Amino acid sequence: MLLVNGERRKTLPVSDRGLQYGDGLFETIEIENSRPVFFDLHLRRLEAGCLRLGLPFPSPGLLAEEARTLCRESPAQAVLKIIVTAGSGGRGYRRPETIETTRILSLHPYPEYPAAFGTEGIRARLCATRLGINPALAGLKHLNRLEQVLARAEWSDSAIQEGLMLDSGGHLIEGTMTNLFYARNGALYTASLERCGVAGIIRELIMRLAARHRLAVIELSYTPERLASADEAFVCNSIIGIWPVRQFEQIALRPGPITRNMQQWLADYKQETLRSEP
Amino acid sequence: MLLVNGERRKTLPVSDRGLQYGDGLFETIEIENSRPVFFDLHLRRLEAGCLRLGLPFPSPGLLAEEARTLCRESPAQAVLKIIVTAGSGGRGYRRPETIETTRILSLHPYPEYPAAFGTEGIRARLCATRLGINPALAGLKHLNRLEQVLARAEWSDSAIQEGLMLDSGGHLIEGTMTNLFYARNGALYTASLERCGVAGIIRELIMRLAARHRLAVIELSYTPERLASADEAFVCNSIIGIWPVRQFEQIALRPGPITRNMQQWLADYKQETLRSEP
């Protein structure tokens, strides 16, 4: 199920700058009970991303209406992807004077993950492919995702659920599709995303929920060895929520109280927002 | 004029990984006398790029045939763009087990540049947007081109023809759409592309032609101040050929004998290959 600029189409002009240059952004949104979860946060991130890339932000009312249209046809649980591109036009890298964005909304099946990933945790590996350092793009969920594609292509062992990525300076940043946190001595730590990485919605919520519960969260630069002295570690994104990491290369970890609490706080907050939204 | 997987279509499935993730490569090829220039070199680069990205290389015979089909309908001078993507399929960043690439060939008008750009030279500026350092992607003409798009969006002054870009470490690498050389004391210098940048076909030819004419070419890391002590500088790509740089920010330069010779050697070599190819 697809809507391209509000029309039921499955195709896009080849000239679209999203294809030609990856000139655009996307959001991956959980659908629960046929409703988009944390939709306002996704729209706000998309708006902030458009601002940074110099793209006009499509009307949020229009995006919400189109999302509702798809949700009416959606299974109770699904994934909604929204792509906004710079549209067609412009010769070469130069954008046209007036940008008419393309917006693409698509519904996808909710991936079937074993419940144990959330309770017992997952195995993660260290990827050889690194994240380039570029403050101009850092934090954005843009369409230039070859680094993640190459990192994900490094392994096919289905016993490994995620690959963690370093930046080109050797600092541990995030997973191919997740943000990463670790806990130590009662505080949470996560990579600073000033120079690369994707600023995930769940990452943002975790920081807010931690503040609400007086749990310190420190953003920092760190190398992967740091996980050896962590008490807990977990990865997160909008579709999986929070998965504890029980193994990262040679480092064994176990889900602990901070991860459990955060999972509970996030689940409660999700229900809270779903109840409060019209 | 467009061929998508050999068919006359103007559209592409939204699910194509070229759009979703920029998972693909492209070539921009000059058409002269209705024939693609340096076509073998472009195909070889495309093949090398596919190998590095883990994509199957489409049959070169097929690509050549499709290029010929478009060239028959082309004005004498034009631009041929070939895009190869990882095709549709795969959930998230993970590619499908079997990749069926998408190939897109499109014809574009040859841009109208004043002849003076080639004789008297162009003005270039320094872009604020930098190139992220990533050896896994360095040299490739891949579809993740947001850095170039953002750099090109920095200026609209039509008196400035190109913007030069630093890497995140402050080294001068290339233009938004060109490679950059400078000459000093009778030798040519250009940025090493081990960590970022696009390894252009004309850049490669310049290095070959320099060797043939016993002109030293040194690949190095350097900062933009270096251009202040250069005797000459020029930018190059497959469409413009070689343009001298006559002004870069506060640095004034003038086209000199090395640039003139290289322009002549390249023009001769082009005619030579066009005559020798069937």
Side-chain angles (χ1 to χ4, degrees):
Chain A
M1 277 168 283
L2 263 165
L3 285 175
V4 179
N5 289 335
E7 290 174 26
R8 292 193 184 266
R9 284 197 276 134
K10 289 185 174 167
T11 62
L12 191 77
V14 163
S15 56
D16 196 279
R17 297 177 62 87
L19 169 71
Q20 299 281 332
Y21 309 118
D23 193 0
L25 297 155
F26 70 107
E27 294 289 330
T28 310
I29 303 167
E30 185 189 5
I31 303 288
E32 189 177 287
N33 291 329
S34 303
R35 293 170 65 187
V37 178
F38 304 135
F39 193 62
D40 281 355
L41 290 178
H42 284 286
L43 282 193
R44 239 182 286 157
R45 180 172 64 170
L46 190 57
E47 182 173 19
C50 284
L51 191 69
R52 275 184 60 195
L53 287 189
L55 299 177
F57 181 53
S59 148
L62 201 59
L63 288 172
E65 191 189 309
E66 291 173 1
R68 273 195 299 272
T69 300
L70 285 187
C71 282
R72 275 193 293 271
E73 306 165 12
S74 167
Q77 205 175 25
V79 174
L80 171 66
K81 186 165 177 177
I82 301 179
I83 296 177
V84 172
T85 81
S88 289
R91 191 170 55 70
Y93 297 128
R94 188 175 187 178
R95 290 179 178 150
E97 295 278 312
T98 308
I99 298 171
E100 295 191 25
T101 54
T102 301
R103 57 185 196 284
I104 303 166
L105 283 81
S106 55
L107 269 186
H108 307 267
Y110 190 85
E112 299 285 338
Y113 295 120
F117 289 176
T119 51
E120 288 158 48
I122 61 151
R123 280 180 59 194
R125 69 190 289 284
L126 183 65
C127 291
T129 308
R130 294 188 177 199
L131 298 165
I133 289 171
N134 196 332
L137 297 176
L140 295 174
K141 205 164 169 75
H142 55 65
L143 292 173
N144 280 198
R145 298 264 76 106
L146 262 175
E147 293 170 337
Q148 283 75 18
V149 169
L150 292 182
R152 187 58 191 84
E154 288 181 28
W155 83 97
S156 55
D157 178 355
S158 61
I160 294 174
Q161 282 78 42
E162 180 59 306
L164 304 185
M165 299 182 74
L166 307 177
D167 68 14
S168 58
H171 302 103
L172 190 54
I173 304 296
E174 61 191 9
T176 61
M177 60 169 194
T178 58
N179 290 120
L180 172 70
F181 286 80
Y182 70 89
R184 197 174 176 223
N185 294 336
L188 263 182
Y189 297 82
T190 193
S192 157
L193 303 181
E194 297 282 304
R195 309 203 310 156
C196 61
V198 176
I201 293 294
I202 302 299
R203 177 182 184 273
E204 184 188 332
L205 280 178
I206 284 169
M207 295 172 90
R208 278 203 232 167
L209 290 167
R212 186 193 275 192
H213 292 276
R214 301 183 184 281
L215 171 66
V217 184
I218 294 118
E219 290 184 82
L220 76 171
S221 280
Y222 67 98
T223 54
E225 299 73 37
R226 190 75 64 92
L227 290 190
S229 60
D231 302 321
E232 311 172 31
F234 60 82
V235 293
C236 61
N237 75 23
S238 290
I239 307 305
I240 66 168
I242 293 170
W243 283 348
V245 176
R246 64 178 171 82
Q247 185 89 35
F248 168 58
E249 296 289 338
Q250 304 311 314
I251 303 170
L253 291 152
R254 62 177 67 193
I258 290 183
T259 306
R260 300 286 185 225
N261 281 340
M262 193 54 81
Q263 286 178 317
Q264 189 58 52
W265 297 337
L266 183 65
D268 291 347
Y269 185 72
K270 184 161 122 180
Q271 293 316 312
E272 204 179 295
T273 58
L274 282 174
R275 271 196 306 275
S276 71
E277 281 172 8
Chain B
M1 278 168 281
L2 264 165
L3 285 176
V4 179
N5 290 335
E7 290 175 26
R8 292 193 183 268
R9 282 197 278 134
K10 289 184 174 166
T11 61
L12 191 78
V14 162
S15 57
D16 196 278
R17 297 177 62 87
L19 169 71
Q20 299 282 331
Y21 309 118
D23 193 0
L25 297 154
F26 70 107
E27 294 290 331
T28 309
I29 303 167
E30 185 189 6
I31 304 288
E32 190 177 288
N33 291 328
S34 302
R35 292 170 66 188
V37 178
F38 304 135
F39 193 62
D40 282 355
L41 290 178
H42 284 286
L43 281 192
R44 237 182 287 157
R45 180 173 65 170
L46 190 57
E47 182 173 18
C50 283
L51 191 68
R52 276 184 59 195
L53 287 190
L55 299 178
F57 181 54
S59 149
L62 201 59
L63 288 172
E65 192 189 309
E66 291 173 359
R68 274 195 298 272
T69 300
L70 285 187
C71 282
R72 275 195 292 271
E73 307 166 10
S74 168
Q77 205 176 25
V79 174
L80 172 66
K81 186 165 178 178
I82 301 180
I83 296 177
V84 172
T85 80
S88 288
R91 193 169 54 71
Y93 297 128
R94 187 173 188 179
R95 289 180 179 147
E97 294 278 312
T98 308
I99 298 171
E100 296 191 24
T101 54
T102 301
R103 57 185 194 284
I104 303 166
L105 283 81
S106 55
L107 270 186
H108 306 267
Y110 190 84
E112 298 285 337
Y113 295 119
F117 289 176
T119 51
E120 290 156 46
I122 60 149
R123 281 180 58 195
R125 67 190 291 283
L126 182 64
C127 291
T129 308
R130 295 188 175 197
L131 298 164
I133 289 170
N134 196 331
L137 298 176
L140 296 175
K141 205 165 169 74
H142 56 65
L143 292 174
N144 280 197
R145 298 264 78 104
L146 262 175
E147 292 170 336
Q148 283 75 17
V149 169
L150 292 182
R152 186 58 191 84
E154 287 182 28
W155 84 96
S156 54
D157 179 354
S158 61
I160 293 173
Q161 283 78 43
E162 180 59 303
L164 304 185
M165 299 182 72
L166 309 176
D167 69 13
S168 58
H171 302 103
L172 190 54
I173 304 296
E174 61 192 9
T176 62
M177 60 169 194
T178 58
N179 289 119
L180 172 70
F181 286 80
Y182 70 88
R184 198 176 175 219
N185 295 336
L188 264 182
Y189 297 82
T190 194
S192 157
L193 303 182
E194 298 282 304
R195 310 204 308 157
C196 60
V198 175
I201 293 295
I202 303 299
R203 177 182 185 273
E204 185 188 331
L205 280 178
I206 285 169
M207 295 172 90
R208 279 202 231 166
L209 290 166
R212 186 193 277 192
H213 293 274
R214 301 184 184 282
L215 170 66
V217 183
I218 294 117
E219 290 184 82
L220 77 171
S221 281
Y222 67 99
T223 53
E225 298 73 37
R226 190 73 65 92
L227 290 189
S229 61
D231 303 320
E232 310 172 31
F234 60 81
V235 294
C236 62
N237 75 24
S238 291
I239 306 305
I240 66 168
I242 292 171
W243 283 348
V245 176
R246 64 177 171 82
Q247 185 89 34
F248 168 59
E249 297 288 339
Q250 303 312 312
I251 303 170
L253 291 153
R254 61 177 68 193
I258 290 183
T259 306
R260 299 287 185 224
N261 281 340
M262 193 54 81
Q263 286 178 318
Q264 190 57 53
W265 297 337
L266 182 65
D268 292 347
Y269 185 71
K270 186 160 120 180
Q271 294 315 313
E272 202 179 295
T273 57
L274 282 174
R275 272 196 305 274
S276 71
E277 281 171 8

